[in-house]
């Protein structure tokens, strides 16, 4: 058989099959294809062989190919009937020799299928004809030449991948394939299902699905806050150096206050402002958000810092410490963290203070940035002072969960159950800050210190109190998503402007960088406000920030930027517009 | 005429800038040779020149930022607070600057106390007012 070259297209498949049977079977379909390819090169260049090659080479399965192959299959089938070696026997040989790889799954799974068919059909030509008729109906891989088979099988494989996914989703029963790989099993199951489909309607399985283009729908994994918190706990407990172990927080970025920061215009600020403003006083959705976000972002921050410079690490720590400002009542891990964080104290001291102020004013800034001016700015101030008097940083967090007037301890305990674990190492740093009697340079800082001083009383509370409240994660989950949504929005913009497809890892890196960047911006804003002796971020601070960025120049003022980029509803919040009745909004 | 003056001014500024750049380059070269001696790593001339250029531009940025910070705080003088704000990114640098600032503050207070003591001593001794005046003028 080897030497027989039939001028027609038939010999190629048969000879190929033969060669395949004779040569050792590689363990991968690719290897098989390569051998096939090498074997194929020798035979005559027939359109069929060329098509074979093209089929095997092209990864995109096209319906046309399938159709063509099917036609070819039929043709070959009819011609093959003349010879002793029927495609059936050849196929069986192939199947017998086929390696147990995922690619082979369909073929092995096909084994039982063609076998019964073979059994069913009488050995007569008529039966053969019927079988052959059936075979083309079957998925092409089950028929004909190994090249075709494997190529189509591979195509089938790809197709079945999507089917597999669907099957998994629908929980299709898995066929008892001999394969160990789950993929293989799934492939087999899908294969069988597709085979059934094929038997019913011939080329249906070879749908227009293009594996290359078939994309898995973006599985939005709901943020499992409990698991995340557990991870945080574990990582923080095991945290020798911050930053290395903080892999888990990167995935989930909580709180939507940052969302507001990143997308100040995407949500109605008026509606949101009350929530955000209440970072101190009111139910701490925002506070929790802030903390969560901070801690989460500090996670990636740390992570990014660690490979970088120790300075940045300290800075990052300071920023996280700031995040902890909200969650500082949960100083439970302070004792454990102290040792590790000793060296950070001094360097982080001032940073922490600034960061604290930043955290305070950040929410304000977000509002101030997009919202009205002083009137609103005053509110959080008073709120701040009010709550600070209570010493209820943690209370703010707790408020959301439990009522507003919480004790610091209780607040710390319950208020930030989710946050505590999140902010573990940062809390440690935070506690260090608080414990260290660094002279408060500003009143705000002093206020913070007042609040922080009682915090150490909470340390003994650590895990036990934290665990039970963690069940209440329905809230934070929603809050975490918007933050991540904001970042992913910008990441998508990024990928759009690159005009090239981007890897997921690259997109994640972009998100991380954006997160760090926005963190820096917010910290800067807070620092600027503090520099001017204020506790609230005002448009002047933003102007300074944008000036540093180079967006606001002597030629381009902030108003110009606002007019250029903001939609009208936000613009009229910033730039006073005269309305009917001689009212000017926003009131100056 | 004005254009000529402006041109001359420009040239002056330019030459001034060049001189500053040269000074920076020299200082950077000295520091680089020190670093090379410490770490046994050689620095090429281009590298030193690049560092000097970068330092110069960064100094320009610093100056602009400092001015902005001072103006933001509604001051007309650049303060140590502005400098600290500038150095906030680098923790070690910030710490260093803060320590130096405290040292200087301490020195200042010491000097003030000394001055006060001297003045008091002078007044107590009731030396001739001319002497006191002289001491005060010295201070």
């Amino acid at each position: 058989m080897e030497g027989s070259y039939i001028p027609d297209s038939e010999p190629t498949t048969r000879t190929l099959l033969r060669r395949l049977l004779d040569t050792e079977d590689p363990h991968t379909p690719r290897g098989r294809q390569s051998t096939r390819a090498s074997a194929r090169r020798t035979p005559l260049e027939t359109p069929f062989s060329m098509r074979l090659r093209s089929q095997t080479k092209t990864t995109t399965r096209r319906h046309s190919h399938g159709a063509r192959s099917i036609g070819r299959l039929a043709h070959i089938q009819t011609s093959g009937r003349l010879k002793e070696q029927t495609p059936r026997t050849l196929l069986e040989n192939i199947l017998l020799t086929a390696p147990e790889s995922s690619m082979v799954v369909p073929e092995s799974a096909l084994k039982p299928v063609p076998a019964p068919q073979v059994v069913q059909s009488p050995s007569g030509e008529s039966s053969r004809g019927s079988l052959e008729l059936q075979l083309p109906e079957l998925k092409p891989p089950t028929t004909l030449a190994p090249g075709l088979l494997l190529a189509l099988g591979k195509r089938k494989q790809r197709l079945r991948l999507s089917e597999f996914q669907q099957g998994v989703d629908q929980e299709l029963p898995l066929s008892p394939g001999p394969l160990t790989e789950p993929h293989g099993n799934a492939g087999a199951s899908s294969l069988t299902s597709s085979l059934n489909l094929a038997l019913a309607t011939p080329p249906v399985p070879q749908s227009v699905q293009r594996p290359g283009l078939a994309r898995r729908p973006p599985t939005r994994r709901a943020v499992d806050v409990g698991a995340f918190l557990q991870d945080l706990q574990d990582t923080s407990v095991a945290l020798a150096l911050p930053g290395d172990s903080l892999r888990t927080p990167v995935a989930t970025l909580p709180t939507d206050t940052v969302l507001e920061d990143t997308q100040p215009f995407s949500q109605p600020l008026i509606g949101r402002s009350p929530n955000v403003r209440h970072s101190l006083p009111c139910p701490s959705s925002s506070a929790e958000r802030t903390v969560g976000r901070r801690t989460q972002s500090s996670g990636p921050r740390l992570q990014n810092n660690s490979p970088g410079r120790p300075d940045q690490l300290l800075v990052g720590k300071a920023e996280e410490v700031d995040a902890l400002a909200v969650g500082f009542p949960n100083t439970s891990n302070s004792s454990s963290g102290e040792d590790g964080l000793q060296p950070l104290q001094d360097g982080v001291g001032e940073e922490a203070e600034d960061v604290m102020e930043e955290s305070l004013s950040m929410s304000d800034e977000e509002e101030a940035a997009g919202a009205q001016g002083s009137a609103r700015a005053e509110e959080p101030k008073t709120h701040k002072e009010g709550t600070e008097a209570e010493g209820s940083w943690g209370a703010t967090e707790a408020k959301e969960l439990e009522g507003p007037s919480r004790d610091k301890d209780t607040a710390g305990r319950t208020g930030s159950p989710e946050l505590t674990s999140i902010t573990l190492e940062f809390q440690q740093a935070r506690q260090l800050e608080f414990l260290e009697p660094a002279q408060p340079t500003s009143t705000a800082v002093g206020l913070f210190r007042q609040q922080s001083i009682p915090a150490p009383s909470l340390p003994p509370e650590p895990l036990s109190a934290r665990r039970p409240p963690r069940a209440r994660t329905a809230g934070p989950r929603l809050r975490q998503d918007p933050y991540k949504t904001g970042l992913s929005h910008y990441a998508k913009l990024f990928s759009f402007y690159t005009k090239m497809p981007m890897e997921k890892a690259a997109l994640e890196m972009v998100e991380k960088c954006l997160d760090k960047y926005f963190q820096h911006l917010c910290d800067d804003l807070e620092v600027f406000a503090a520099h001017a002796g204020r506790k609230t971020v005002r448009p002047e601070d933003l102007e300074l920030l944008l000036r540093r960025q180079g967006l606001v120049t002597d030629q381009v003022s902030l108003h110009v930027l606002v007019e250029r980029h903001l939609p009208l509803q936000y613009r009229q919040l910033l730039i006073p517009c005269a309305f009917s009745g001689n009212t000017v909004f926003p009131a100056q | 005429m004005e254009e000529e003056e402006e041109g001359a001014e420009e040239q002056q500024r330019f030459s001034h800038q060049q001189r500053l750049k040269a000074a920076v380059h020299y200082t950077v070269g000295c520091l680089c040779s020190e670093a090379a001696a410490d770490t046994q790593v050689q620095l090429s001339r281009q590298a030193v020149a690049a560092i000097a250029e970068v330092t110069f531009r960064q100094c320009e940025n610093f100056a602009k930022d400092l001015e902005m910070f001072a103006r933001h705080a509604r001051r007309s003088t650049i303060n140590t607070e502005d400098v600290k704000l500038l150095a906030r990114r680098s923790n070690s640098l910030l710490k260093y600057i803060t320590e130096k600032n405290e040292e200087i503050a301490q020195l200042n207070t010491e000097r003030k106390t000394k001055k006060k003591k001297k003045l008091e001593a002078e007044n107590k001794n009731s030396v001739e007012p001319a002497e006191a005046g002289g001491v005060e003028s010295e201070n």
Side-chain angles (χ1 to χ4, degrees):
Chain A
M1 287 293 291
E2 287 184 14
S4 61
Y5 282 93
I6 302 175
D8 228 341
S9 58
E10 311 143 0
T12 54
T13 55
R14 203 154 298 112
T15 50
L16 287 171
L17 251 180
R18 236 350 178 187
R19 289 209 188 88
L20 262 174
L21 292 174
D22 294 345
T23 59
E24 67 123 23
D25 39 307
H27 282 282
T28 64
R30 289 234 166 65
R32 204 171 249 229
Q33 284 179 15
S34 63
T35 56
R36 223 183 316 117
S38 57
R40 215 179 301 127
R41 281 189 206 110
T42 47
L44 304 171
E45 288 276 341
T46 64
F48 181 72
S49 64
M50 286 182 66
R51 195 162 289 163
L52 256 186
R53 230 171 281 128
S54 65
Q55 278 174 352
T56 51
K57 278 179 189 169
T58 56
T59 53
T60 59
R61 320 294 173 216
R62 311 229 166 227
H63 187 62
S64 56
H65 277 255
R68 259 180 287 157
S69 62
I70 291 175
R72 280 285 172 192
L73 282 176
H75 175 67
I76 290 164
Q77 286 292 342
T78 51
S79 52
R81 214 184 318 156
L82 302 172
K83 297 241 166 172
E84 280 292 330
Q85 293 247 336
T86 64
R88 194 186 322 153
T89 56
L90 288 172
L91 186 61
E92 287 171 23
N93 286 334
I94 292 166
L95 292 176
L96 286 171
T97 56
E100 296 241 341
S101 68
S102 63
M103 269 300 299
V104 181
V105 173
E107 290 145 14
S108 58
L110 284 171
K111 228 201 276 190
V113 177
Q117 283 196 357
V118 175
V119 170
Q120 291 162 13
S121 57
S123 54
E125 278 193 343
S126 58
S127 65
R128 218 178 290 160
S130 64
L131 174 65
E132 283 154 4
L133 281 176
Q134 285 174 13
L135 284 178
E137 287 182 2
L138 276 181
K139 295 189 174 173
T142 66
T143 60
L144 283 200
L148 254 187
L149 172 76
L150 287 174
L152 296 171
K154 195 169 187 185
R155 187 189 327 161
K156 280 292 167 191
Q157 175 94 21
R158 300 285 167 96
L159 290 175
R160 284 183 219 115
L161 251 177
S162 49
E163 286 174 8
F164 160 66
Q165 293 169 12
Q166 294 166 13
V168 167
D169 294 340
Q170 300 160 15
E171 296 176 2
L172 289 177
L174 294 180
S175 66
L179 306 167
T180 55
E181 296 176 15
H183 168 70
N185 287 333
S189 66
S190 61
L191 176 60
T192 50
S193 62
S194 56
L195 277 176
N196 296 334
L197 280 177
L199 289 173
T201 55
V204 166
Q206 296 185 6
S207 63
V208 195
Q209 289 180 12
R210 296 169 187 177
L213 299 177
R215 292 222 173 94
R216 200 180 292 185
T219 52
R220 299 241 173 251
R221 275 173 288 151
V223 174
D224 185 8
V225 179
F228 165 79
L229 292 173
Q230 186 60 44
D231 283 341
L232 274 175
Q233 252 184 7
D234 300 338
T235 53
S236 61
V237 168
L239 197 64
L241 257 185
D244 293 334
S245 53
L246 291 177
R247 303 267 166 209
T248 47
V250 175
T252 58
L253 302 169
T255 73
D256 55 0
T257 43
V258 174
L259 168 65
E260 293 176 18
D261 163 56
T262 61
Q263 290 185 325
F265 318 119
S266 66
Q267 310 198 5
L269 290 173
I270 300 175
R272 282 197 156 278
S273 55
N275 294 339
V276 175
R277 298 273 162 141
H278 295 159
S279 65
L280 293 182
C282 297
S284 58
S285 54
S286 58
E288 263 183 340
R289 271 176 263 155
T290 340
V291 174
R293 173 193 64 75
R294 295 241 172 198
T295 52
Q296 300 280 356
S297 52
S298 56
R301 246 183 294 153
L302 281 183
Q303 188 181 354
N304 294 333
N305 277 332
S306 56
R309 320 140 37 188
D311 291 346
Q312 283 301 324
L313 177 60
L314 291 179
V315 170
K317 272 238 143 224
E319 292 165 354
E320 293 139 16
V321 167
D322 158 44
L324 296 182
V326 187
F328 72 73
N330 314 310
T331 57
S332 47
N333 304 319
S334 59
S335 54
S336 56
E338 268 183 48
D339 305 333
L341 294 169
Q342 277 292 339
L344 296 176
Q345 290 170 12
D346 305 333
V348 190
E350 274 206 31
E351 295 262 0
E353 292 168 7
D354 290 339
V355 162
M356 286 168 68
E357 286 187 59
E358 288 174 14
S359 67
L360 257 191
S361 50
M362 215 207 61
S363 48
D364 300 325
E365 165 269 325
E366 289 160 8
E367 293 314 300
Q372 295 89 26
S374 53
R376 279 186 175 241
E378 294 310 314
E379 292 173 43
K381 236 192 207 173
T382 55
H383 280 157
K384 274 189 218 172
E385 281 150 19
T387 50
E388 282 172 353
E390 290 177 350
S392 58
W393 249 125
T396 59
E397 301 169 22
K399 271 175 186 174
E400 180 194 9
L401 302 173
E402 316 255 1
S405 54
R406 269 197 162 254
D407 231 6
K408 210 178 194 201
D409 295 354
T410 50
R413 233 172 288 156
T414 54
S416 54
E418 304 101 15
L419 304 171
T420 52
S421 53
I422 298 174
T423 63
L424 273 187
E425 59 270 5
F426 313 115
Q427 290 167 11
Q428 298 164 10
R430 209 22 168 186
Q431 265 237 314
L432 289 178
E433 301 304 316
F434 293 130
L435 294 176
E436 294 304 313
Q439 300 308 319
T441 52
S442 66
T443 54
V445 176
L447 283 169
F448 280 113
R449 302 223 168 240
Q450 290 168 18
Q451 297 170 10
S452 63
I453 288 168
S457 63
L458 292 179
E461 297 285 349
L463 306 172
S464 58
R466 228 176 288 128
R467 288 222 180 98
R470 202 188 298 151
R472 278 179 260 139
T473 57
R477 181 175 301 184
L478 296 173
R479 255 168 272 122
Q480 287 171 18
D481 276 343
Y483 170 77
K484 188 143 188 234
T485 316
L487 281 187
S488 59
H489 169 72
Y490 285 112
K492 279 182 198 161
L493 271 179
F494 183 90
S495 69
F496 167 73
Y497 280 112
T498 57
K499 297 175 192 166
M500 286 171 57
M502 279 185 66
E503 287 181 347
K504 270 211 166 177
L507 273 177
E508 281 179 21
M509 282 311 296
V510 167
E511 278 185 24
K512 272 192 238 174
C513 295
L514 279 174
D515 180 42
K516 286 201 70 178
Y517 180 69
F518 288 131
Q519 279 295 317
H520 274 309
L521 286 186
C522 296
D523 297 340
D524 283 355
L525 276 172
E526 193 177 324
V527 164
F528 292 159
H531 187 247
R534 277 184 271 109
K535 290 185 220 161
T536 326
V537 178
R538 305 211 61 207
E540 295 88 49
D541 305 320
L542 260 170
E543 171 138 17
L544 181 65
L545 179 75
L546 289 176
R547 192 172 274 274
R548 287 197 79 230
Q549 300 290 104
L551 290 167
V552 170
T553 66
D554 296 334
Q555 280 75 38
V556 178
S557 83
L558 193 60
H559 269 209
V560 171
L561 288 178
V562 166
E563 290 206 11
R564 257 190 223 164
H565 301 288
L566 287 188
L568 184 67
Q569 65 215 52
Y570 297 116
R571 174 193 143 169
Q572 70 190 28
L573 296 175
L574 291 167
I575 300 177
C577 295
F579 292 87
S580 70
N582 293 333
T583 56
V584 176
F585 181 78
Q588 287 293 329
Chain B
M1 297 281 286
E2 291 178 359
E3 288 175 5
E4 288 177 6
E5 288 177 10
E6 281 182 21
E9 252 187 65
E10 281 289 328
Q11 278 195 353
Q12 258 195 351
R13 244 180 277 155
F14 186 66
S15 67
H16 191 63
Q17 197 188 28
Q18 292 292 84
R19 269 184 276 149
L20 285 173
K21 261 197 200 176
V24 165
H25 185 89
Y26 174 72
T27 319
V28 166
C30 293
L31 288 169
C32 285
S33 57
E34 273 183 36
D38 285 342
T39 60
Q40 322 297 333
V41 172
Q42 295 298 319
L43 283 166
S44 71
R45 285 215 197 107
Q46 286 90 358
V48 172
I51 296 173
E53 180 71 25
V54 167
T55 315
F56 190 78
R57 291 203 195 156
Q58 196 68 351
C59 283
E60 285 184 1
N61 275 342
F62 286 164
K64 288 184 197 155
D65 285 350
L66 283 171
E67 188 194 336
M68 280 201 295
F69 292 156
R71 203 182 307 160
H72 180 72
R74 288 178 281 268
R75 274 186 268 113
S76 55
T77 340
I78 293 178
N79 214 1
T80 50
E81 298 299 319
D82 301 323
V83 178
K84 280 195 223 166
L85 188 64
L86 189 72
R88 75 191 176 286
R89 282 297 161 92
S90 160
N91 250 4
S92 53
L93 185 62
L94 183 65
K95 202 168 55 163
Y96 183 73
I97 289 176
T98 324
E99 285 170 4
K100 283 285 169 182
N101 193 23
E102 285 166 11
E103 274 185 42
I104 293 172
Q106 274 184 358
L107 283 173
N108 285 344
T109 51
E110 283 177 12
R111 269 189 224 150
K112 279 181 189 167
T113 52
K114 281 182 195 168
K115 272 189 208 173
K116 281 181 187 169
K117 284 179 189 170
K118 270 191 188 174
L119 282 173
E120 287 172 8
E122 292 295 335
N123 291 338
K124 280 176 188 172
N125 295 343
S126 64
V127 188
E128 303 144 34
E131 246 180 293
V135 170
E136 279 177 8
S137 64
E138 277 177 19
N139 296 340

